[in-house]
């Protein structure tokens, strides 16, 4: 099955800094999601982005499907951005079963 | 519009007891997923339904686990008998159709003593 790798595993930044999180996947995908798991454990949808670029406020994401990676950008980080960021792709192209990466733990210090 | 609703939010039980977790998907969504999250294994898909029909239960760890979806607005995940290694956060998610994004509920934190 498809492999998903996220980097870096941990990232500690000061408030106001920018960050880039990466998600690599081992096979072609037609579906990719980014989630934020906040410190209370909630999984919040950030982007559904099989390809191209999307922006939502201070967050944006780019997926380059042909090169099998996606990037999540966070600008002007705030303490509320802390948590774990996951990317997820279908286990098999076209399938509904998602495979999650191990996540990037982001800590934003005031 | 309400998101995915799960109950209870926290459950503490003793080994050997039956545990039932409940989920109400987002209205109009026809796919429902049950996941388990642990530190060791991360997020794992246990089972999913399309139009109330179980499609793939290959992630269900063993026969102690069962899931049902009697109608489009309700699903249960049952563990009988429960064991300490079942302690985890169990998430339910729903999706509007086969290919669209999944939306997660708040999860049920299960502790089996």
């Amino acid at each position: 099955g498809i492999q998903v790798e996220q980097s870096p595993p941990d990232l500690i930044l000061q408030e106001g800094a920018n960050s880039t999180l990466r998600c690599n996947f081992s096979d072609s995908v037609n579906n990719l999601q980014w989630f934020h798991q906040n410190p209370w454990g909630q999984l919040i949808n950030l982007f559904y982005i099989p390809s191209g670029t999307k922006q939502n406020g201070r967050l944006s994401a780019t997926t380059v499907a042909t090169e099998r990676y996606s990037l999540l950008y966070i600008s002007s980080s705030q303490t509320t951005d802390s948590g774990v960021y996951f990317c997820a792709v279908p286990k098999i192209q076209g399938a509904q079963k998602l495979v999650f990466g191990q996540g990037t733990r982001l800590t934003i210090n005031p | 519009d309400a998101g995915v609703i799960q109950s209870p939010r926290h459950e503490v039980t003793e080994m050997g007891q039956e545990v039932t977790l409940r989920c109400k998907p987002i209205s109009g969504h026809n796919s429902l997923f049950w996941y388990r999250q642990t530190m060791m294994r991360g997020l794992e898909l246990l089972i999913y339904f399309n139009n109330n029909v179980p499609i793939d239960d290959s992630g269900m760890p063993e026969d102690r686990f069962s899931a049902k979806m009697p109608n489009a607005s309700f699903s249960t995940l049952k563990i009988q008998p429960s064991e300490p290694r079942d302690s985890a956060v169990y998430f339910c998610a729903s999706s509007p159709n086969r290919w669209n994004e999944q939306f997660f509920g708040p999860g049920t934190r299960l502790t089996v003593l």
Side-chain angles (χ1 to χ4, degrees):
Chain A
I2 195 167
Q3 304 297 315
V4 182
E5 292 185 3
Q6 292 186 242
S7 59
D10 292 279
L11 188 57
I12 301 173
L13 299 171
Q14 291 297 121
E15 202 166 22
N18 301 328
S19 58
T20 301
L21 284 57
R22 188 177 180 101
C23 173
N24 291 334
F25 39 93
S26 59
D27 207 346
S28 300
V29 300
N30 61 354
N31 173 359
L32 185 142
Q33 289 188 243
W34 281 99
F35 297 89
H36 174 213
Q37 188 164 36
N38 64 23
W40 295 270
Q42 284 185 294
L43 274 164
I44 299 163
N45 289 44
L46 297 178
F47 295 101
Y48 173 76
I49 183 167
S51 63
T53 297
K54 289 187 178 180
Q55 181 153 8
N56 184 2
R58 296 181 296 102
L59 276 61
S60 65
T62 295
T63 296
V64 184
T66 53
E67 297 187 20
R68 301 179 184 175
Y69 73 89
S70 183
L71 302 174
L72 178 67
Y73 305 96
I74 305 173
S75 64
S76 304
S77 299
Q78 301 175 359
T79 56
T80 51
D81 295 329
S82 296
V84 183
Y85 290 80
F86 292 100
C87 66
V89 299
K91 187 172 185 179
I92 302 172
Q93 188 170 7
Q96 288 182 275
K97 295 176 70 168
L98 291 180
V99 175
F100 283 76
Q102 288 303 304
T104 292
R105 181 173 298 277
L106 177 65
T107 303
I108 305 297
N109 292 321
Chain B
D1 195 13
V4 176
I5 298 172
Q6 291 187 245
S7 64
R9 295 292 306 276
H10 301 273
E11 176 81 25
V12 180
T13 190
E14 292 189 347
M15 184 174 62
Q17 296 298 305
E18 177 179 296
V19 175
T20 300
L21 311 181
R22 297 173 177 80
C23 175
K24 177 179 170 55
I26 294 171
S27 178
H29 285 194
N30 56 20
S31 296
L32 183 140
F33 308 81
W34 282 101
Y35 290 86
R36 178 171 68 175
Q37 186 178 34
T38 61
M39 289 294 293
M40 291 296 294
R41 300 174 67 90
L43 271 158
E44 304 174 280
L45 178 67
L46 301 177
I47 184 171
Y48 74 94
F49 298 82
N50 280 343
N51 297 314
N52 313 337
V53 176
I55 302 300
D56 188 334
D57 65 354
S58 59
M60 297 284 262
E62 47 197 276
D63 292 345
R64 298 184 297 105
F65 286 69
S66 63
K68 294 182 180 179
M69 191 165 186
N71 57 61
S73 59
F74 184 66
S75 177
T76 59
L77 178 68
K78 186 176 292 186
I79 308 172
Q80 167 63 17
S82 58
E83 297 183 2
R85 60 191 168 125
D86 302 330
S87 297
V89 180
Y90 291 81
F91 288 99
C92 176
S94 70
S95 176
N97 62 47
R98 292 190 66 189
W99 313 118
N100 278 4
E101 62 187 303
Q102 297 181 21
F103 296 85
F104 282 71
T108 294
R109 182 174 297 277
L110 173 65
T111 303
V112 183
L113 303 174

